[in-house]
Amino acid sequence: MSTNRKRPSKRLQKEIKLRLVITAGPTREYFDTIRFISNPSTGRMGYAIADAAAKAGHRVTLVSGPVELAAPAGVKVIRVETAEEMLKASRRAFAGADAAIFCAAVSDYRPKKRADKKLPKQMMNRRIELAPTPDIAATLGRAKGRRVTIGFALEDHDGRAHAERKLVRKHCDAIILNDPGNVGSDRASAEFLVRGGEWQVWPRSTKPQMARRIIQSLQRLWAARTRVTKAE
Ligand code: C5P
């Protein structure tokens, strides 16, 4: 076996079976028992990645915010609502995992206070004080050891520059720069950057096709990390 950084063969890639954590969907950050801050993420990209990973033979734990999607076949789904819950469930799954793909649209802020009853309109403070939520990718990335992690960046301007900073800040091995037009759409276009590499422009494709491409890229990263390269 060679120890150089050649692409692993298709056969070797097929033999790679990983334990994966995938985060997906939005989070909800409540300020009383009913009302919350959230975003319109549908979770479709994360669920498509989980499905593609399971079909490729990987063992997948999908930590999902509230979405309208059914669990993909063969995937263990842990349903959560808040960023704190998502961090807790992801951390537990990550402890026994080889890799993670952070696809969730985690709310950046949460209300500082969560009332234990629905607040009557008259009693609602018209200013909601906010506190930052934990960054799941960055928190788990800091102590990831040899695990491979991939993040997403959704940007509407200076995408590559923002994504490059996120790649480093979140300790990811690679980042997918997502187009805002992909949200809620059947198709997706993206650019992909591996640490120390060059940007690759991925063609517009369906989300399942994009998901398969992401899983193949993850397998390549894993193979490079464990130095499984094509036997010449
Ligand atoms: O900072 P931003 O939200 O743009 O970063 C996007 C990436 O970080 C995605 O991979 C997302 O799932 C992840 N993220 C996270 N926890 C957060 C915010 C983002 O895991 N609180």
Side-chain angles (χ1 to χ4, degrees):
M1 187 191 293
S2 119
T3 53
N4 62 19
R5 291 215 155 211
K6 285 210 173 81
R7 271 189 168 197
S9 68
K10 286 229 162 73
R11 183 182 58 77
L12 279 171
Q13 273 206 52
K14 275 201 185 124
E15 285 169 9
I16 297 172
K17 300 295 173 221
L18 303 174
R19 293 161 300 172
L20 282 184
V21 182
I22 298 170
T23 67
T27 63
R28 289 179 179 174
E29 312 299 333
Y30 286 86
F31 59 93
D32 66 15
T33 49
I34 310 286
R35 303 179 182 99
F36 54 79
I37 298 172
S38 191
N39 63 68
S41 165
T42 61
R44 268 151 85 186
M45 193 68 240
Y47 274 61
I49 296 171
D51 187 46
K55 286 187 174 133
H58 303 297
R59 214 179 329 141
V60 185
T61 302
L62 178 62
V63 182
S64 173
V67 296
E68 302 274 319
L69 302 170
V75 170
K76 176 178 175 187
V77 181
I78 301 174
R79 297 193 189 269
V80 297
E81 282 198 279
T82 66
E84 274 296 342
E85 289 166 5
M86 188 172 273
L87 173 62
K88 204 168 154 200
S90 303
R91 182 181 267 142
R92 201 172 297 143
F94 195 65
D98 304 303
I101 302 174
F102 299 107
C103 203
V106 183
S107 296
D108 294 313
Y109 290 93
R110 65 173 173 81
K112 263 192 176 162
K113 287 192 197 133
R114 180 175 178 164
D116 58 7
K117 288 188 201 65
K118 182 183 174 194
L119 294 168
K121 206 186 323 187
Q122 314 77 274
M123 271 182 64
M124 274 169 73
N125 194 336
R126 273 181 281 167
R127 272 172 206 236
I128 300 171
E129 261 199 274
L130 299 176
T133 54
D135 190 313
I136 297 162
T139 306
L140 300 185
R142 264 193 290 277
K144 70 183 193 174
R146 69 202 287 273
R147 295 179 191 83
V148 174
T149 59
I150 298 181
F152 273 78
L154 180 75
E155 312 291 342
D156 64 359
H157 66 282
D158 301 324
R160 287 188 175 188
H162 285 299
E164 284 165 20
R165 284 197 286 275
K166 287 179 187 176
L167 174 71
V168 175
R169 197 165 70 235
K170 294 171 191 263
H171 311 275
C172 289
D173 296 276
I175 195 144
I176 297 155
L177 174 56
N178 211 350
D179 191 293
N182 296 345
V183 179
S185 161
D186 285 337
R187 298 176 78 80
S189 53
E191 295 184 62
F192 182 71
L193 179 68
V194 171
R195 240 176 215 259
E198 302 281 322
W199 277 102
Q200 296 170 28
V201 179
W202 284 354
R204 194 164 171 75
S205 59
T206 64
K207 287 187 175 173
Q209 283 166 339
M210 175 83 68
R212 283 196 290 278
R213 196 184 277 273
I214 292 167
I215 293 303
Q216 281 160 9
S217 303
L218 173 68
Q219 289 169 183
R220 256 182 237 130
L221 283 166
W222 178 261
R225 170 141 312 167
T226 53
R227 294 193 184 275
V228 178
T229 51
K230 184 176 179 177
E232 295 286 297

